[in-house]
Amino acid sequence: MEYVIVTYPAVREVLLDGQPAGRTNRTLLCGAGHHRFSLGGPQDFTPVERECDIQGTTPLSPQSVAFLPL
């Protein structure tokens, strides 16, 4: 398993490959490989989606995926 933290100034639902995967600003688990990340709720953030290759993470060193308000 790999570890990711999706950051955003507010708590939002995280979508991993189009499916709910948890909340922002918390460490999430996912499989290794290429994934698409987005946020639920109103699309008042940028970018609309991020694609990342996730591998080589640890619980103490998750990969960060950042979103910003518009």
Side-chain angles (χ1 to χ4, degrees):
M1 291 308 283
E2 300 295 331
Y3 301 88
V4 177
I5 186 163
V6 177
T7 61
Y8 187 71
V11 175
R12 297 286 285 271
E13 180 177 48
V14 173
L15 302 176
L16 172 63
D17 298 327
Q19 300 298 315
R23 300 281 182 194
T24 54
N25 308 310
R26 297 183 183 145
T27 302
L28 307 174
L29 294 173
C30 69
H34 190 80
H35 295 287
R36 290 178 296 112
F37 295 89
S38 189
L39 303 179
Q43 288 194 342
D44 58 352
F45 55 89
T46 188
V48 172
E49 181 177 272
R50 286 200 180 269
E51 293 191 32
C52 302
D53 288 315
I54 309 297
Q55 57 188 349
T57 63
T58 68
L60 297 177
S61 185
Q63 184 163 335
S64 180
V65 178
F67 289 90
L68 298 171
L70 286 177

